Amino acid sequence: MNNYIKRIKNEFASSPDLVIKKININLLHKVYVIFLDTLSSQDKINDYILKKLVNINLIFNIENILPGGNVVKLKKYDEIEYYLYNGFTIVIDNKNIYAVETRADIVRSISTNETEPSIKGPKSAFVENFQINIGLIKKRIKNHHLKIKNITIGRISNINVGILYIDNIAKKELIETVYQKLESVDIDLINDSADLYPYLTKKSIFPTLIYTERPDRCADALASGKIVIICDESPNAIILPAFLVDFLHPYSDRYNKSVNINLTKIIRLICFFLSIMVPAFYISIINYNQEAIPTSLIINFATQRSDIPFPAVIECFMMLIICEILRESDLRFPTKYGSSVSVLGALLIGEAAVSAGLVTPIMIIITAFTYISSLIFTDIEIGNAIRTYRFIFLIISAMFGLYGFMITFIFFILNLCDTKSFDFFYTFPISPFDNSYFKDVFFKLKNNLRSKYLTKNITKEKL
Amino acid sequence: MKKILLIFIILFLTGCYDYMEINDLGFITAIGIDYEEDTYKATFEILDDSDDIQKIKSESKTISNLFDNISLIISKVPDYHHLKTVIISKSVAQNHLKELTDFLIRSPEIRNEFLLVVCEGTSPLELFKKDSKESIGEKIAKLIKTSKNQTNISYDRSFEDILEKILNKKMEATASVITLENDEITLKGIGLFKGYNYKYFLDTKKSSLLNILNKENTNYSIFIENMETKIYESNVKYDFKENTVTININAKAKIIENTTQMDLKDNKNYLIIEKKLNKVLENDLNDLINNLKDNNIDAINLNDRQYKKTRKNRNNYLKNADIKINIDTKINWKGSIFQIDEN
């Protein structure tokens, strides 16, 4: 036992928060209580350990004395570090080492989700605590088929990562693939579940994993045969596999009336393509294919452009880049400083730029329409993908006109069809077509079956 | 690395070859062409980023030089993709349409979607002399399109269609005819071509009848015994048996004006009116067909129709055929029924 204490003192020499308390049970029997002050709760240590040990003279089995709900007997010395850093108190009695859970509550309380707001439906969001996050999901899936596979990732961080799945719904091959990929992760530190992205996805412009802070979304994904990955110290969970349609429609659509929401879904689909292609289409017809514009409109455009010194392409790039700068500054700027940045940017782009003769009013309309269409999508990753493709379309159309536009469109469709999320086609449920997922997610229609593509257990209610 | 280099080379060495700034273009919306004293004369109506409509004159011995000469005058690149109307004089239509058509077909910049219009009684260049804020090309195009529904005396098809008929030996081409009356552009009727040569034009009544026979819109007024009626819908069918053609017309008519003493509440009177209408219409149609036969102009495309039905190649079918017309008119819009009391 003394060797253990010496080793602990050596290893944690520069940790001023390490507390080693020696309790003399009797003349012959000593027990050591070791904990990290910053991670453990003093109250719990007092209640579960110190008060119990101080009042006794003889101990036969220390496990029976410690009343804590989570008492683990450690098999080897090397596990001490892991449990100490997870808020456990180590009790060393002769050669027996026990870890008692006395975790301090240094997490924030469950709050409303900020990145996926909804008017109807649950508002709770994940926090930076693994157990609480698992609890939020288990409150929604009260079934023994919900399984969790735990992995510790990070050489320095040793963060606990859990793979959640419902074993009679999710495909076993998918579970195994995910587990193997996470087991092969060899990095120093994980701060958030987003750090696992490069290990779970291949290179693609479009996002192939859903990154969510909604427990209800995770529960729904598990029920449809998907897998959820929860990372300790991360308020976001990863859902996989993910498809394009999952990013186009927010999850809160589920809580709205289907007839009305289906129209909104159609508008979103149109906005997805418009947001990418409108600036490129405008440039190609203004500079290459003027015959495509009605005469009265083209005279109007020519009159507007008569005083502008820049070519239409430069004007378009300028406006899009200014809007990107505005968007980035709006995202990063602390909200406490107010939203004056957005107002300033809008003034700059609007009246002032047109009055100064730098841009045409039509270009302001095109840019505004493009950005308003892209703001419909709440997921930042799909917004970034849309932006990337917008610039690709613009560059090729600026060089080749409508011909270039069509070539880029073909490339865009091919890229979309070629993208995969864990060997599942990204364009699912359009291609391959699946009636159940189409009715569930693409449009909101009555559906009582799970998708055959994701699971073999397709029945979810009485037919 | 090689892929990136290849993409770079393709983009920067081959891109932007037909890039054109919109402000550098002059959009030509109408061309008026005349032929006088061995010279082609033309006026081009050009719209650009200025508020005024430019009218540029050009003269040349050849048609291609006629079009090229405007580049010596205007500072913009001529763009023909928005050409609405080409107005040709009678002399061009009669003697020089072939050269003009040849030039227009060969030019890749000029799409054949404009309207070809013949100007009778005045030179087409006179149409452009009046200062107006409205483009002449658009004005004439709208006039022809509107007339199709309102008066039915125009031929609202693009040059592409006229070309198809000229080049197809089984058909004869037609085109709208305009003139300048009291300083206003007025639609006169439909002009008839024999091959590349313009022959004459049909007045408003005959143009309307021609459109009926060609299964275009129907809008034909008949005035009988102080009553004005209008045929507003018709269904025309051609039956071919050897050299006999039977044209069956089921028409619907409406009473526009009634100043007779006829009791319009009595259904028997309608039978009398319908019989009279049938007779008048039959006579008018026979007049038109005889006119076409005399000039041997198959403006009702009888050759083509009979070939499509019988697959027998017969030339000059119109001249040799015996044409019978069966008309069945029904008045189904009687209007306000009342009697004018002369007391």
Side-chain angles (χ1 to χ4, degrees):
Chain A
M1 186 166 69
N2 286 333
N3 287 339
Y4 285 161
I5 303 302
K6 274 181 194 167
R7 272 181 79 179
I8 289 169
K9 280 184 181 172
N10 281 338
E11 281 170 14
F12 290 87
S14 299
S15 292
D17 58 336
L18 180 76
V19 176
I20 301 176
K21 197 168 175 66
K22 186 169 87 174
I23 299 171
N24 294 317
I25 305 294
N26 52 42
L27 283 171
L28 299 168
H29 196 167
K30 288 173 208 168
V31 171
Y32 285 90
V33 175
I34 304 160
F35 58 91
L36 285 171
D37 197 24
T38 47
L39 295 172
S40 306
S41 163
Q42 275 294 332
D43 291 336
K44 285 178 188 171
I45 294 169
N46 288 340
D47 290 337
Y48 297 159
I49 302 166
L50 295 177
K51 279 182 185 172
K52 300 296 171 190
L53 291 176
V54 156
N55 291 328
I56 54 168
N57 293 318
L58 201 63
I59 297 174
F60 291 108
N61 188 357
I62 203 165
E63 273 184 81
N64 295 336
I65 295 166
L66 300 172
N70 193 3
V71 179
V72 181
K73 186 173 181 180
L74 304 185
K75 289 172 188 164
K76 47 186 179 177
Y77 173 82
D78 295 332
E79 291 173 23
I80 289 178
E81 185 185 23
Y82 174 78
Y83 283 96
L84 265 180
Y85 275 104
N86 276 293
F88 282 66
T89 301
I90 304 295
V91 178
I92 302 179
D93 172 32
N94 288 330
K95 284 187 183 173
N96 297 321
I97 311 171
Y98 299 94
V100 184
E101 190 180 341
T102 51
R103 213 189 299 258
D105 289 326
I106 40 173
V107 290
R108 61 187 168 91
S109 54
I110 297 168
S111 55
T112 52
N113 59 69
E114 289 169 357
T115 56
E116 295 168 90
S118 63
I119 298 166
K120 289 184 181 176
K123 309 264 188 290
S124 56
F126 288 131
V127 292
E128 287 84 349
N129 183 290
F130 186 79
Q131 301 298 339
I132 294 174
N133 291 345
I134 297 285
L136 284 169
I137 293 178
K138 283 198 169 179
K139 278 175 75 171
R140 287 168 170 84
I141 302 182
K142 292 168 185 154
N143 191 302
H144 67 278
H145 287 291
L146 174 64
K147 308 287 184 201
I148 307 171
K149 270 190 178 179
N150 282 337
I151 305 176
T152 307
I153 296 178
R155 283 189 231 132
I156 298 172
S157 60
N158 284 315
I159 292 287
N160 193 13
V161 175
I163 304 170
L164 282 81
Y165 59 93
I166 297 180
D167 72 353
N168 63 346
I169 299 176
K171 281 187 171 177
K172 289 193 173 27
E173 305 85 37
L174 179 63
I175 301 163
E176 279 310 311
T177 313
V178 173
Y179 189 75
Q180 279 165 19
K181 287 201 177 202
L182 287 178
E183 260 200 323
S184 66
V185 173
D186 185 22
I187 49 172
D188 275 348
L189 186 74
I190 294 185
N191 278 324
D192 187 80
S193 50
D195 290 338
L196 298 172
Y197 256 42
Y199 302 94
L200 293 169
T201 58
K202 291 180 190 166
K203 266 188 188 175
S204 73
I205 295 174
F206 285 97
T208 51
L209 300 175
I210 298 171
Y211 194 65
T212 180
E213 56 175 11
R214 293 184 73 129
D216 53 336
R217 191 174 187 179
C218 291
D220 192 48
L222 286 166
S224 31
K226 292 188 182 180
I227 286 175
V228 172
I229 297 173
I230 291 197
C231 194
D232 199 5
E233 303 306 321
S234 170
N236 291 289
I238 294 176
I239 299 174
L240 54 94
F243 309 109
L244 176 66
V245 71
D246 295 326
F247 296 99
L248 296 184
H249 302 308
Y251 185 71
S252 54
D253 278 356
R254 189 190 151 85
Y255 304 115
N256 293 311
K257 214 166 149 84
S258 59
V259 169
N260 303 326
I261 208 67
N262 282 333
L263 181 63
T264 316
K265 283 179 187 268
I266 294 170
I267 293 171
R268 281 196 208 108
L269 279 170
I270 297 168
C271 284
F272 174 68
F273 289 102
L274 288 179
S275 175
I276 296 173
M277 295 171 197
V278 162
F281 185 73
Y282 170 74
I283 292 298
S284 53
I285 60 170
I286 277 287
N287 285 335
Y288 291 88
N289 302 92
Q290 292 92 356
E291 63 270 18
I293 315 173
T295 314
S296 51
L297 200 56
I298 203 169
I299 301 300
N300 197 352
F301 287 166
T303 314
Q304 284 183 26
R305 285 202 50 73
S306 56
D307 297 325
I308 308 298
F310 307 115
V313 180
I314 302 296
E315 212 185 306
C316 195
F317 270 109
M318 209 161 68
M319 287 306 306
L320 290 176
I321 289 168
I322 288 172
C323 283
E324 285 302 326
I325 294 168
L326 204 66
R327 201 175 85 132
E328 279 301 307
S329 64
D330 214 27
L331 274 172
R332 312 289 169 222
F333 218 64
T335 47
K336 281 191 178 170
Y337 291 154
S339 58
S340 53
V341 173
S342 310
V343 174
L344 189 71
L347 282 172
L348 182 77
I349 290 164
E351 191 66 30
V354 172
S355 306
L358 293 174
V359 293
T360 51
I362 188 70
M363 186 52 73
I364 303 284
I365 293 168
I366 298 277
T367 318
F369 180 76
T370 303
Y371 276 93
I372 289 167
S373 303
S374 71
L375 289 173
I376 280 182
F377 308 104
T378 50
D379 194 294
I380 199 165
E381 295 295 337
I382 199 74
N384 291 342
I386 287 171
R387 181 184 53 205
T388 307
Y389 263 110
R390 187 184 300 140
F391 280 103
I392 293 173
F393 264 90
L394 189 58
I395 291 166
I396 306 293
S397 296
M399 290 187 167
F400 296 100
L402 272 180
Y403 171 71
F405 179 87
M406 284 316 299
I407 296 290
T408 318
F409 182 74
I410 291 168
F411 169 75
F412 169 70
I413 298 294
L414 285 173
N415 188 252
L416 211 57
C417 295
D418 194 43
T419 306
K420 281 188 177 178
S421 172
F422 267 85
D423 291 336
F424 290 87
F425 285 105
Y426 198 59
T427 47
F428 177 83
I430 303 296
S431 167
F433 183 75
D434 183 80
N435 206 14
S436 318
Y437 205 80
F438 189 86
K439 283 183 185 176
D440 252 348
V441 182
F442 206 90
F443 286 110
K444 195 180 169 201
L445 302 166
K446 197 174 176 191
N447 178 41
N448 53 12
L449 294 173
R450 289 190 195 95
S451 163
K452 286 178 203 169
Y453 198 52
L454 294 170
T455 175
K456 287 178 186 164
N457 182 359
I458 60 169
T459 315
K460 57 182 180 181
E461 61 181 68
K462 277 189 188 165
L463 288 167
Chain B
M1 185 62 201
K2 274 185 192 173
K3 278 182 202 171
I4 296 167
L5 203 61
L6 188 67
I7 290 168
F8 208 70
I9 289 168
I10 289 170
L11 283 181
F12 286 98
L13 289 184
T14 58
C16 304
Y17 84 97
D18 58 348
Y19 171 88
M20 188 60 72
E21 267 296 319
I22 199 172
N23 298 99
D24 295 338
L25 294 172
F27 304 102
I28 297 171
T29 50
I31 308 172
I33 306 174
D34 199 358
Y35 188 82
E36 273 174 9
E37 296 157 5
D38 268 349
T39 313
Y40 286 102
K41 293 179 184 174
T43 304
F44 293 79
E45 183 182 67
I46 302 173
L47 303 179
D48 59 15
D49 54 3
S50 62
D51 283 332
D52 303 319
I53 299 173
Q54 290 186 66
K55 284 156 192 174
I56 307 293
K57 291 179 188 166
S58 175
E59 283 182 25
S60 174
K61 295 281 182 192
T62 62
I63 291 178
S64 60
N65 272 347
L66 192 72
F67 281 73
D68 291 340
N69 284 347
I70 58 164
S71 305
L72 303 172
I73 306 165
I74 58 167
S75 57
K76 309 273 183 183
V77 174
D79 183 288
Y80 294 94
H81 294 117
H82 295 268
L83 184 61
K84 295 274 185 292
T85 333
V86 170
I87 310 134
I88 54 176
S89 66
K90 194 175 170 181
S91 59
V92 171
Q94 281 173 339
N95 305 310
H96 301 281
L97 186 62
K98 195 173 184 180
E99 291 88 351
L100 179 66
T101 312
D102 186 63
F103 172 78
L104 290 171
I105 298 171
R106 286 178 198 281
S107 308
E109 307 96 34
I110 306 175
R111 295 195 296 186
N112 296 334
E113 288 172 10
F114 55 87
L115 290 168
L116 184 71
V117 174
V118 178
C119 187
E120 278 262 8
T122 183
S123 167
L125 311 184
E126 297 294 320
L127 303 174
F128 295 90
K129 284 188 177 167
K130 191 180 171 185
D131 271 331
S132 95
K133 285 194 173 175
E134 197 186 356
S135 152
I136 300 289
E138 289 217 30
K139 190 176 179 180
I140 294 173
K142 277 182 194 171
L143 178 67
I144 290 171
K145 282 183 195 330
T146 319
S147 158
K148 188 180 171 182
N149 294 324
Q150 301 293 325
T151 55
N152 195 30
I153 59 167
S154 64
Y155 184 70
D156 176 30
R157 294 283 172 87
S158 68
F159 178 65
E160 184 82 40
D161 191 70
I162 294 174
L163 204 63
E164 197 191 311
K165 287 189 173 169
I166 291 175
L167 297 173
N168 184 340
K169 288 176 190 167
K170 291 184 190 61
M171 296 192 197
E172 302 294 359
T174 51
S176 295
V177 174
I178 58 169
T179 190
L180 203 60
E181 244 173 53
N182 300 328
D183 235 14
E184 290 294 333
I185 297 170
T186 316
L187 207 53
K188 284 215 88 167
I190 294 177
L192 306 174
F193 288 80
K194 182 81 185 162
Y196 280 106
N197 302 313
Y198 173 72
K199 290 294 174 189
Y200 64 97
F201 77 94
L202 299 170
D203 65 13
T204 51
K205 275 190 101 62
K206 290 203 169 94
S207 301
S208 195
L209 284 170
L210 184 68
N211 276 337
I212 293 173
L213 287 174
N214 279 332
K215 301 184 185 183
E216 302 280 346
N217 274 7
T218 306
N219 193 338
Y220 187 65
S221 297
I222 299 176
F223 194 77
I224 44 169
E225 294 179 13
N226 294 333
M227 181 187 286
E228 185 167 350
T229 56
K230 193 177 264 190
I231 314 282
Y232 68 91
E233 200 178 305
S234 65
N235 185 5
V236 180
K237 282 183 185 163
Y238 290 82
D239 278 319
F240 297 92
K241 273 183 187 168
E242 287 304 317
N243 272 352
T244 312
V245 184
T246 313
I247 305 175
N248 297 312
I249 303 175
N250 292 325
K252 286 182 188 170
K254 54 184 173 182
I255 297 175
I256 303 292
E257 196 181 323
N258 174 37
T259 49
T260 65
Q261 289 301 312
M262 205 182 272
D263 178 13
L264 291 180
K265 289 176 186 170
D266 185 359
N267 280 333
K268 287 178 195 168
N269 285 330
Y270 288 103
L271 292 170
I272 299 167
I273 298 168
E274 281 166 9
K275 267 189 187 171
K276 285 181 184 175
L277 279 175
N278 287 343
K279 205 169 182 185
V280 168
L281 194 57
E282 192 181 329
N283 286 339
D284 289 346
L285 283 169
N286 276 324
D287 277 341
L288 172 67
I289 288 169
N290 288 333
N291 192 324
L292 295 174
K293 271 190 177 186
D294 293 339
N295 291 291
N296 196 18
I297 297 175
D298 186 10
I300 55 174
N301 303 324
L302 216 56
N303 248 349
D304 186 56
R305 288 183 205 277
Q306 76 82 25
Y307 179 76
K308 279 179 182 167
K309 283 217 167 163
T310 64
R311 294 292 176 199
K312 286 179 185 169
N313 214 347
R314 291 197 183 96
N315 293 326
N316 291 322
Y317 191 75
L318 175 70
K319 203 164 188 179
N320 301 326
D322 175 27
I323 300 173
K324 291 176 190 168
I325 302 174
N326 294 334
I327 302 173
D328 180 23
T329 310
K330 291 272 180 257
I331 297 173
N332 63 350
W333 186 1
K334 295 160 187 174
S336 298
I337 301 170
F338 65 94
Q339 268 183 313
I340 296 172
D341 189 355
E342 281 185 353
N343 299 328

